Amino acid sequence: MSKIHIVSNRLPLSIKREEESFELSPSVGGLATGMRSIYKEYGGKWIGWPGLAKDDLTEDEIVEIDDKLVTEDCLAVHLSKEEINLYYEGFSNNVIWPLFHYFAQFCDYNPDYWEAYKKVNHKFAQKALETVDDGDIVWIHDYQLLLVPEMIKSVKPNVTIGFFLHIPFPSFEVFRILPWRNELIKGMLGSDLIGFHTYDYERHFFSSVRRLLGHEISFNEIHLEDRIILADAFPMGIDYDKFENLAKDITHKSLQEKSELHRELEKYFLVSPDRKLILSIDRLDYTKGIPNRLHAFEKFLNKYPEFRNQVSLIMLVVPSRDEVEQYKLLKSEIDELVGRINGQYGDVNYTPVWYFYRSLPFENLIELYSTSDVALITPVRDGMNLVAKEYIACRVNQSGVLVISEMAGAVKELGEAIIINPNNEDEIADSINQALTMPLDEQRRRMKYLQARIRRYDVFKWSGEFIKGLKKVEGIQQHFLAKRITPSLSKELVEKFASAKKRAIFLDYDGTLVGFNNDPQAASPDEELHKLITKLEENEKNTVTIISGRDRETLEKWLGNHKVNLIVEHGVWLKKIGEDWKMLDNINSTWKPTIRPILENFVDRTPGTFIEEKNYSLVWHYRNSEPEQGELRANELKDELRNMIANHNLEIMEGNKVIEVKAGGINKGIAAQRFLGDDDYDFILAMGDDWTDEYMFRELPESAYTIKVGLKKTEASYKVESVKSVRNLLKSLGAE
């Protein structure tokens, strides 16, 4: 069975220095909970930073920590204070974090941060490579390690790699701001499966992949030259049973067993049983919308004065990076707002905002969830937000109302909550009023659905679904690579080729012999290709035919000096060696004046597109357009053309970023079959890259070696990855 290894910035353990040794204790975070069972069950390792700077440790202490971690199946990546400062506080938290949360004004594009980020990612990759074997699975987590997937894949391509991003992925317009955008995308594409919390983040990622690297995307598959990558949405859950069971335990505790906080809360309700509590829990961060929330609560007290002295906001803010200037300013703003609200609306017996700037023990959090009538969660941008799900799990009597921002990833699963825009203070104020006045039966109806959904898709279901996704992508890879020309198949092909007496070789041009170019006229043959064709044509046993969608003037100009046959415009024209051009079918182009205005309209509407005119076809090129717009327009164009072509005996052919309208009844398959005629070829080879070549693959005899360039679905018998692979194969057939 394959081992599953976890790689994340932090280990699932806290390490504390005691008097003479170090003590390990389990972390309580959602990721640690969800992953702990995975890597242990599958016999893997967890690789991460232990949380202590190596500058503060002696060599003996590092050895002691490593030895203790080995007993927990963990491997430490030791980092210096400088590395932590530049890689973690620098690039991760001063570049990626603000940019991915749409706070580009807080980014510091320091090249030293980037160099440290690369260096530390390489350390994590190297530590993983020390323990990972071929066939294993590696699951890498979050924005601190975006380069690690490619670093591992480039060394061990037979390892299956999953990557999960726990924060939002921004729109292309935001992501493109980053100077190192291409490098980060390429790093992520070292993965075989890439997970996001929501489809929106997945869609933004696809947009950046298309626009920056130009890879083809089909549904949720990214097609690279040598493999297929899946991306999908996996909304992270919580350990539902843990929260629910603790909440039940707390309700049954005796007075002596209850915590001081719990006793204070009960005293609060004893004084005034009608009082209500609104709960707000966040880490100190500008993405959480805390000032907006306070402004909205102030507006609520002003707009609904009947709730003064009746409702308090419990606001727990967990300290975070408060030495950073933006966070200092945020803390000052929160302090000032709390003071102003309490000063204006509070008195001796009433405090509108109970403000705690500290972390609380886990049990106290459960007590707050269990006793608060409303949870108010209003981030301006949040990858998921598990606080909302934790609150739902703790409402064991099914009362309580969740008010949540539409900008939180979790909102996609929480349709029964009251959903607000975090920047609309009036809407938040009105939603607080709606929550506080909601009838109990309505609260319970909503909470029932929320709890059923969150219980069903908990953190263990989340991790299990991701592992299933990894297994699925392994199957897809194997299916698409089943036809790949392996060394043994290549050897067999070379032997058959060598023993054959009369060989027919059909070669597509664009995407097969040469790569695609934004300017079709710039894809002329290079010196290597001329040499390859010359070698092939010099062997008298070979009959080489270039079969292409190109026009005859261009292909004759480029290859007319070679002793090869030319079939162009997908089979309209044939030029045999030493002969003139011959039309294979009597066709005409009288339809062009009808179709051309349609294509011109799409050129006008789609910047970067243009029309190429051939003798008997018109081609709309959209390679240089905005990817999403180009694909949208291509589909529109096909729909519009289908209504026109029936009366003109025309066909629509879709190539690589082109839509071609041509005379019907002829294609590469028919042309190749006619060319072969009754000649007795004992070896036939055909190679092509797009669906126009599928006609050729279908029409040629079963004994032919038909080879698709790329990993798409095909009628061909075999596949190679790229133009480079085609040329290497031709060299192996004696074309050196």
Side-chain angles (χ1 to χ4, degrees):
M1 184 176 70
S2 300
K3 297 191 290 293
I4 297 179
H5 308 277
I6 308 299
V7 184
S8 68
N9 180 60
R10 291 296 299 269
L11 291 169
L13 302 160
S14 296
I15 302 175
K16 291 184 179 178
R17 187 194 295 270
E18 299 299 334
E19 289 184 5
E20 295 183 0
S21 65
F22 294 90
E23 293 296 324
L24 306 183
S25 58
S27 299
V28 294
L31 179 63
T33 301
M35 294 293 95
R36 192 174 286 115
S37 59
I38 291 290
Y39 83 99
K40 295 239 182 209
E41 180 182 342
Y42 286 89
K45 306 292 183 186
W46 189 312
I47 296 144
W49 176 49
L52 300 172
K54 68 179 182 181
D55 319 55
D56 296 331
L57 303 169
T58 66
E59 287 297 324
D60 289 343
E61 287 174 331
I62 290 174
V63 171
E64 180 188 348
I65 289 171
D66 287 346
D67 289 344
K68 285 181 178 290
L69 289 172
V70 165
T71 64
E72 297 292 332
D73 296 317
C74 291
L75 299 174
V77 179
H78 293 287
L79 303 176
S80 67
K81 288 179 181 176
E82 182 182 35
E83 287 171 330
I84 296 163
N85 181 51
L86 295 176
Y87 139 80
Y88 183 71
E89 297 298 341
F91 196 80
S92 297
N93 288 333
N94 275 336
V95 180
I96 298 179
W97 178 269
L99 187 72
F100 280 36
H101 287 86
Y102 294 77
F103 284 85
Q105 68 272 26
F106 293 156
C107 293
D108 181 1
Y109 304 111
N110 185 335
D112 292 339
Y113 291 169
W114 170 243
E115 292 304 319
Y117 187 81
K118 288 193 295 183
K119 177 182 174 185
V120 172
N121 271 243
H122 188 259
K123 279 192 170 187
F124 276 86
Q126 288 301 114
K127 181 60 70 171
L129 286 165
E130 289 174 13
T131 193
V132 172
D133 297 319
D134 282 349
D136 284 357
I137 291 172
V138 182
W139 188 355
I140 302 160
H141 289 270
D142 225 359
Y143 64 103
Q144 302 94 347
L145 303 175
L146 294 171
L147 302 178
V148 172
E150 195 278 330
M151 290 175 171
I152 295 176
K153 180 67 77 173
S154 63
V155 177
K156 289 201 170 179
N158 294 324
V159 168
T160 300
I161 298 176
F163 178 85
F164 195 89
L165 185 68
H166 292 267
I167 65 174
F169 194 94
S171 69
F172 172 69
E173 291 304 317
V174 173
F175 185 68
R176 71 191 298 191
I177 298 170
L178 189 63
W180 306 282
R181 58 202 185 183
N182 285 33
E183 291 89 335
L184 292 184
I185 290 287
K186 288 175 183 175
M188 293 176 72
L189 292 179
S191 313
D192 298 289
L193 174 65
I194 302 173
F196 303 91
H197 284 304
T198 73
Y199 173 70
D200 285 345
Y201 308 154
E202 176 190 343
R203 178 169 53 85
H204 291 159
F205 175 71
F206 283 150
S207 179
S208 290
V209 169
R210 278 195 192 97
R211 294 172 182 229
L212 294 174
L213 302 183
H215 293 310
E216 181 184 344
I217 295 170
S218 176
F219 297 103
N220 66 334
E221 296 178 356
I222 304 169
H223 291 249
L224 272 58
E225 281 191 351
D226 58 345
R227 60 198 176 89
I228 288 169
I229 299 166
L230 285 188
D232 212 338
F234 302 87
M236 188 175 182
I238 60 170
D239 186 348
Y240 190 96
D241 291 342
K242 178 182 178 181
F243 283 90
E244 183 184 48
N245 292 334
L246 278 169
K248 286 178 179 177
D249 290 345
I250 284 170
T251 61
H252 295 110
K253 281 187 175 181
S254 65
L255 183 64
Q256 293 76 18
E257 293 175 307
K258 291 177 180 178
S259 71
E260 183 181 348
L261 173 65
H262 200 171
R263 289 196 292 269
E264 286 295 319
L265 289 169
E266 290 195 344
K267 193 186 299 181
Y268 173 79
F269 288 114
L270 281 172
V271 172
S272 178
D274 294 331
R275 286 191 174 183
K276 304 282 188 180
L277 289 179
I278 300 170
L279 179 62
S280 158
I281 299 179
D282 299 283
R283 183 173 55 84
L284 181 69
D285 198 275
Y286 44 76
T287 66
K288 302 299 182 182
I290 302 172
N292 304 32
R293 194 175 314 160
L294 286 166
H295 282 296
F297 183 67
E298 183 179 25
K299 183 158 285 190
F300 161 76
L301 292 174
N302 184 52
K303 194 171 182 179
Y304 299 96
E306 65 271 21
F307 282 108
R308 296 176 194 172
N309 295 303
Q310 294 298 317
V311 174
S312 290
L313 172 65
I314 300 179
M315 196 170 72
L316 174 63
V317 179
V318 179
S320 170
R321 306 184 71 212
D322 43 17
E323 75 286 352
V324 176
E325 187 61 28
Q326 293 102 311
Y327 290 74
K328 285 181 183 177
L329 293 171
L330 177 61
K331 172 70 165 53
S332 297
E333 184 181 4
I334 293 169
D335 292 347
E336 184 181 326
L337 284 168
V338 171
R340 188 177 80 199
I341 294 169
N342 285 342
Q344 183 174 351
Y345 296 100
D347 57 36
V348 175
N349 297 313
Y350 172 59
T351 304
V353 182
W354 297 4
Y355 175 37
F356 301 92
Y357 184 65
R358 64 175 185 268
S359 58
L360 286 180
F362 185 67
E363 183 181 341
N364 290 158
L365 292 178
I366 304 298
E367 290 166 343
L368 289 175
Y369 288 141
S370 300
T371 53
S372 298
D373 302 279
V374 176
L376 185 60
I377 298 166
T378 63
V380 292
R381 188 72 60 175
D382 211 344
M384 173 49 62
N385 196 297
L386 297 179
V387 169
K389 297 185 176 184
E390 292 169 2
Y391 175 75
I392 291 167
C394 290
R395 305 304 300 176
V396 292
N397 64 356
Q398 294 191 328
S399 67
V401 181
L402 174 65
V403 180
I404 187 169
S405 162
E406 64 188 3
M407 304 299 181
V411 78
K412 305 291 185 185
E413 305 164 79
L414 307 176
E416 292 78 16
I418 298 175
I419 299 169
I420 53 89
N421 182 319
N423 300 303
N424 189 332
E425 294 172 11
D426 280 304
E427 184 183 24
I428 299 172
D430 293 340
S431 295
I432 293 171
N433 176 61
Q434 180 188 352
L436 292 170
T437 57
M438 185 179 291
L440 185 59
D441 60 344
E442 175 68 7
Q443 293 180 34
R444 287 178 170 161
R445 185 187 69 79
R446 293 182 182 223
M447 192 61 69
K448 177 184 175 183
Y449 288 118
L450 289 169
Q451 288 182 340
R453 195 175 303 120
I454 301 308
R455 176 186 280 112
R456 188 169 59 250
Y457 203 98
D458 62 7
V459 69
F460 305 107
K461 175 79 169 176
W462 167 78
S463 58
E465 287 296 306
F466 194 87
I467 296 300
K468 282 201 316 197
L470 283 167
K471 301 289 187 184
K472 177 183 176 182
V473 77
E474 283 182 338
I476 290 173
Q477 304 265 22
Q478 289 167 5
H479 171 74
F480 274 89
L481 296 177
K483 294 183 174 184
R484 192 176 185 178
I485 293 190
T486 60
S488 60
L489 279 172
S490 180
K491 182 182 177 184
E492 175 193 320
L493 194 152
V494 170
E495 289 173 352
K496 289 279 182 71
F497 182 87
S499 62
K501 296 177 181 178
K502 189 175 184 181
R503 312 167 185 134
I505 301 171
F506 294 96
L507 301 172
D508 176 42
Y509 188 77
D510 293 283
T512 302
L513 294 177
V514 298
F516 288 101
N517 197 294
N518 289 340
D519 176 6
Q521 295 304 311
S524 58
D526 54 31
E527 186 179 349
E528 181 189 48
L529 181 56
H530 280 301
K531 288 181 178 178
L532 279 171
I533 295 174
T534 300
K535 269 292 187 183
L536 285 172
E537 69 192 30
E538 284 177 348
N539 191 321
E540 60 183 18
K541 295 180 181 180
N542 298 337
T543 300
V544 181
T545 303
I546 307 299
I547 184 165
S548 170
R550 287 273 181 176
D551 63 274
R552 59 178 182 167
E553 290 81 6
T554 300
L555 219 56
E556 185 171 26
K557 179 176 71 175
W558 287 349
L559 299 173
N561 292 329
H562 287 282
K563 295 176 183 177
V564 296
N565 304 299
L566 300 177
I567 297 177
V568 298
E569 296 192 31
H570 303 294
V572 174
W573 293 96
L574 165 65
K575 186 180 188 302
K576 289 191 174 182
I577 300 167
E579 297 181 12
D580 293 330
W581 286 101
K582 176 186 175 183
M583 187 181 289
L584 293 178
D585 258 318
N586 291 320
I587 55 178
N588 64 67
S589 58
T590 56
W591 52 269
K592 282 186 179 180
T594 304
I595 300 298
R596 188 178 184 93
I598 298 172
L599 301 187
E600 287 173 344
N601 179 44
F602 276 79
V603 169
D604 294 339
R605 294 171 57 207
T606 319
T609 65
F610 62 92
I611 298 169
E612 178 189 4
E613 182 165 359
K614 301 176 185 178
N615 290 306
Y616 295 98
S617 69
L618 291 172
V619 190
W620 182 70
H621 290 259
Y622 62 96
R623 179 175 299 280
N624 298 333
S625 67
E626 289 289 339
E628 285 88 353
Q629 187 185 37
E631 290 178 14
L632 178 68
R633 291 282 190 265
N635 289 326
E636 286 182 30
L637 177 58
K638 284 186 289 183
D639 287 341
E640 192 162 336
L641 288 171
R642 284 191 188 103
N643 297 323
M644 302 285 297
I645 62 176
N647 298 327
H648 296 278
N649 188 29
L650 302 176
E651 290 180 0
I652 301 170
M653 302 192 76
E654 188 174 5
N656 195 302
K657 306 297 183 186
V658 298
I659 301 292
E660 184 164 0
V661 186
K662 60 177 282 295
I666 190 160
N667 55 54
K668 287 184 179 181
I670 295 171
Q673 202 174 43
R674 286 185 184 178
F675 179 84
L676 290 173
D678 297 326
D679 282 349
D680 188 21
Y681 291 97
D682 57 350
F683 182 93
I684 301 172
L685 171 68
M687 302 177 77
D689 74 295
D690 70 26
W691 75 274
T692 65
D693 298 299
E694 295 296 315
Y695 293 106
M696 179 169 60
F697 299 149
R698 282 196 290 267
E699 295 294 337
L700 289 174
E702 286 187 17
S703 59
Y705 283 89
T706 52
I707 301 175
K708 180 81 164 185
V709 185
L711 299 183
K712 302 171 191 174
K713 292 179 181 177
T714 182
E715 297 286 335
S717 304
Y718 304 105
K719 297 178 184 178
V720 293
E721 296 90 345
S722 62
V723 170
K724 183 180 179 181
S725 304
V726 171
R727 294 191 179 192
N728 287 338
L729 180 59
L730 293 176
K731 288 177 183 177
S732 70
L733 296 178
E736 295 178 332

